[in-house]
Amino acid sequence: MTIISIPVLSLVYLITKHILHNLHHLPPTPFPILPIIGHLHLLNNPLHRSLATLSKTHGPVLFLRFGSRNVLHVASPTSADECLSENDVVFANRPQLLAGKHFGYNYTSLPWSPYGDHWQNLRRISAVEILSPTRLDALANIRVDEIRLMMNRLYSNSNPDRVVELRSELTDFMFNVMTRMMSGKRYYGQNNNNNNNNNNNNNLEEEEGKRFGDVIADTEQVIQEAKILDLLPNFRWVFARKYDRKFAAVQKRRDDFMQSWIDEFRAGGLDDNQKGKKTLLQILLSLQDTDPEYYTDEMIKSLSQALLHGGINTTVETMEWTMTRLLNNPHVLHKAQTEMDSVVGPDRLVDETDLSKLPYLQCIIKEALRMHPTAPLLLPHESSKDCVVGGYQIPRGTMLFVNVWAIQNDPNIWESPDTFMPERFEGKESSMKVKDGLTMMPFGSGRRRCPGENLALRIVGLALASMIQCFDWKRVSEELVDMSESGGFTAPKAEPLVAKYRARSIVEHHLSQM
């Protein structure tokens, strides 16, 4: 009798859940919703592709259960527009995930803070004081300097085959750009000389840079390890002690690192050497002088960490995916070099001010971001009250995933979406909203749109323009570069990009004089 009752009760449970779902006029949902895990049995890595496959079967507005958590998945321009434009304020909150608790200073940092006065002030500070065009212009020399140093390292490569693993090279470059903009310090590729004191300082800074890199890597690792607890929040208590310790240990290292910068500035030990131009950390500390109760060390560290940890890997991945696409499409690379030679010419190296005059390069970047958005599902949002999306009722407290990857690679929206075709963007804006909704939003949309978009596009544009101008690039074999993605939140390449290159004769005299 007991053996028979188990499947009967299970069937009753499943049918009841399905009937209640329809009675509440919720969006379509895959059947069945299993006890405890909900729909997690249907998901695989990478998550954005798995969810896109479900949407093809059940529709672009999809209601799921991740354990006890309600999840809304949208995968069409119109539904994305409803969420991020019409219901922008409703979905301006963040779900309380473990990363926000531990790495977001208990949900008070810019990425994780709930929508309200505190978040609006953090957003204003980032837009006006840190990432404004004027501020970025003032620090442009750092980006140009680091680009020149990277080009010099590539040119000085003693490898006779001139082969480079680009992910490592681009990561070192991005670390130096971001840490110099933030604190005036650089960590990788120090110039060696015969002065023992300088060599010792260089070694210490290399070691400090390695520690910083390890902290970022460990941050990503613990988030990935604990991901299942965010998907099954009703079971957090089972593993709470284990992961609280892991998160706390990594966060202490993150916090200590940023505090050491602040302490060095206060002790007069950090000098940005930018002829009076303040670093971003100095800007934040000057705000602390005006209102120390609000601009606490903790708040300054949270803003700094959001910029550093949020900007390095995502920008590196965008550059790596773009170079991968160029290697697999050499005719596009050749066309970009032709534009570069025509606009910039042989008498100088490309500069940030040239980027607006290189429309085909901009199209290449847009096409790479279309095919490989840095956050394929965006950072998750959460509804602060009941609302309507696609004619369906969405309960308060529902976590929202906007599948940017699915929208930007939808064959019903884009012609031949699997083909790398920068020409499709000629004469169009990088973020497009048409009468049918949001079709292109690699940096998100609405109030939670990424505040670092302008900085990211400047860095990506200058780095790619320099690599295209200075070197000819080829694949290491006749086979196309593998395009497999890893299962991470930002979906980086599964394998680092390795490429052959040689200096272009048109600019080699500039490279030889660096």
Side-chain angles (χ1 to χ4, degrees):
M1 183 68 178
T2 304
I3 296 176
I4 296 175
S5 65
I6 293 175
V8 171
L9 290 173
S10 298
L11 182 61
V12 170
Y13 168 83
L14 296 175
I15 293 174
T16 302
K17 292 287 288 186
H18 188 69
I19 292 173
L20 289 173
H21 181 94
N22 291 332
L23 286 175
H24 288 99
H25 198 53
L26 299 173
T29 191
F31 182 82
I33 306 174
L34 297 183
I36 302 177
I37 66 171
H39 291 107
L40 292 180
H41 63 291
L42 300 176
L43 303 179
N44 298 298
N45 280 325
L47 185 58
H48 60 279
R49 290 182 181 267
S50 183
L51 289 170
T53 300
L54 286 177
S55 281
K56 289 179 182 178
T57 303
H58 301 281
V61 181
L62 190 61
F63 196 81
L64 300 164
R65 294 279 292 182
F66 289 2
S68 62
R69 190 189 295 278
N70 291 333
V71 176
L72 174 66
H73 172 256
V74 299
S76 73
T78 51
S79 59
D81 191 27
E82 281 192 77
C83 294
L84 301 181
S85 297
E86 297 175 28
N87 290 300
D88 186 20
V89 174
V90 175
F91 282 109
N93 275 346
R94 294 290 192 206
Q96 293 199 343
L97 305 183
L98 288 170
K101 175 184 176 182
H102 293 278
F103 298 151
Y105 291 89
N106 199 27
Y107 311 107
T108 61
S109 67
L110 179 61
W112 296 106
S113 176
Y115 182 70
D117 292 341
H118 175 63
W119 177 83
Q120 288 176 319
N121 195 47
L122 291 177
R123 180 75 181 204
R124 181 192 62 78
I125 295 168
S126 65
V128 175
E129 302 289 352
I130 300 178
L131 297 170
S132 68
T134 301
R135 190 72 66 198
L136 296 183
D137 286 345
L139 298 174
N141 61 309
I142 290 176
R143 299 187 291 276
V144 172
D145 187 36
E146 289 301 327
I147 280 289
R148 299 290 187 264
L149 290 169
M150 181 170 69
M151 295 302 101
N152 182 47
R153 287 195 300 273
L154 290 171
Y155 182 71
S156 302
N157 185 355
S158 59
N159 186 330
D161 296 325
R162 287 292 176 96
V163 175
V164 63
E165 193 262 272
L166 271 175
R167 182 181 298 176
S168 297
E169 190 65 51
L170 292 170
T171 299
D172 290 354
F173 157 71
M174 272 305 299
F175 263 99
N176 284 338
V177 168
M178 298 302 289
T179 56
R180 283 185 68 185
M181 288 179 60
M182 181 58 66
S183 68
K185 301 181 74 170
R186 71 188 307 270
Y187 291 114
Y188 297 101
Q190 305 289 344
N191 294 324
N192 293 324
N193 51 50
N194 294 324
N195 186 300
N196 288 331
N197 289 331
N198 284 338
N199 283 334
N200 290 335
N201 290 336
N202 289 344
N203 290 336
L204 289 173
E205 289 181 342
E206 291 270 6
E207 291 176 8
E208 186 178 346
K210 184 180 184 305
R211 289 198 302 273
F212 184 41
D214 290 343
V215 167
I216 290 183
D218 290 345
T219 298
E220 297 295 327
Q221 182 177 346
V222 73
I223 290 174
Q224 286 299 314
E225 287 180 5
K227 184 167 59 177
I228 190 64
L229 299 186
D230 285 324
L231 301 181
L232 290 169
N234 43 327
F235 279 85
R236 276 188 186 176
W237 63 273
V238 178
F239 303 98
R241 181 175 297 179
K242 172 185 176 182
Y243 280 102
D244 278 348
R245 286 198 301 264
K246 280 195 169 187
F247 271 100
V250 175
Q251 176 57 9
K252 185 178 188 306
R253 290 162 59 204
R254 287 160 50 100
D255 190 85
D256 288 348
F257 199 95
M258 296 308 306
Q259 188 64 51
S260 69
W261 281 1
I262 292 174
D263 293 342
E264 282 187 78
F265 266 120
R266 287 179 176 147
L270 281 181
D271 180 9
D272 54 83
N273 295 318
Q274 299 300 324
K275 297 180 179 178
K277 295 175 183 176
K278 291 184 177 181
T279 62
L280 301 182
L281 193 55
Q282 285 175 308
I283 298 294
L284 293 173
L285 288 172
S286 67
L287 293 174
Q288 188 179 64
D289 293 336
T290 63
D291 189 355
E293 291 188 5
Y294 184 77
Y295 297 99
T296 62
D297 281 6
E298 182 175 288
M299 193 266 256
I300 291 172
K301 287 183 287 188
S302 77
L303 273 173
S304 302
Q305 287 180 14
L307 182 62
L308 289 169
H309 293 266
I312 292 175
N313 285 348
T314 54
T315 307
V316 169
E317 288 161 17
T318 296
M319 292 187 286
E320 186 179 31
W321 276 122
T322 308
M323 286 300 295
T324 301
R325 289 291 178 178
L326 290 175
L327 290 177
N328 282 350
N329 296 272
H331 65 286
V332 176
L333 177 57
H334 177 73
K335 187 173 178 179
Q337 286 178 329
T338 300
E339 177 186 66
M340 190 75 60
D341 296 343
S342 173
V343 172
V344 180
D347 296 331
R348 62 183 179 86
L349 295 178
V350 66
D351 197 81
E352 241 181 53
T353 57
D354 296 311
L355 297 181
S356 61
K357 307 166 192 172
L358 299 167
Y360 191 65
L361 174 69
Q362 298 301 325
C363 290
I364 289 172
I365 296 170
K366 293 170 190 175
E367 179 71 339
L369 286 170
R370 179 191 69 80
M371 302 183 83
H372 306 282
T374 53
L377 292 172
L378 301 184
L379 272 177
H381 297 235
E382 184 175 274
S383 57
S384 57
K385 63 180 181 179
D386 296 348
C387 62
V388 176
V389 175
Y392 300 104
Q393 295 294 324
I394 308 300
R396 177 180 179 272
T398 298
M399 185 164 72
L400 168 67
F401 280 127
V402 179
N403 199 326
V404 173
W405 178 86
I407 294 169
Q408 295 180 178
N409 289 271
D410 187 342
N412 296 314
I413 302 170
W414 305 88
E415 177 188 353
S416 304
D418 294 335
T419 302
F420 187 68
M421 190 165 56
E423 289 76 9
R424 75 173 84 240
F425 283 102
E426 289 179 340
K428 296 181 180 178
E429 297 295 328
S430 61
S431 180
M432 298 190 301
K433 179 178 178 180
V434 295
K435 64 179 181 179
D436 295 325
L438 292 165
T439 58
M440 181 75 178
M441 45 180 167
F443 294 94
S445 184
R447 283 166 173 77
R448 289 284 186 171
R449 186 185 181 107
C450 175
E453 176 180 356
N454 188 13
L455 174 60
L457 291 177
R458 289 185 186 215
I459 295 173
V460 170
L462 182 60
L464 291 172
S466 299
M467 288 191 287
I468 288 170
Q469 182 192 31
C470 293
F471 302 104
D472 286 318
W473 298 90
K474 290 184 179 181
R475 301 188 295 269
V476 293
S477 70
E478 293 299 319
E479 296 180 2
L480 294 178
V481 179
D482 181 60
M483 305 300 292
S484 299
E485 301 167 331
S486 76
F489 175 75
T490 56
K493 277 183 92 286
E495 297 296 330
L497 176 61
V498 179
K500 289 182 178 180
Y501 69 99
R502 62 181 176 85
R504 299 182 68 220
S505 59
I506 191 172
V507 293
E508 188 165 12
H509 60 290
H510 295 300
L511 295 172
S512 64
Q513 294 173 8
M514 283 184 177

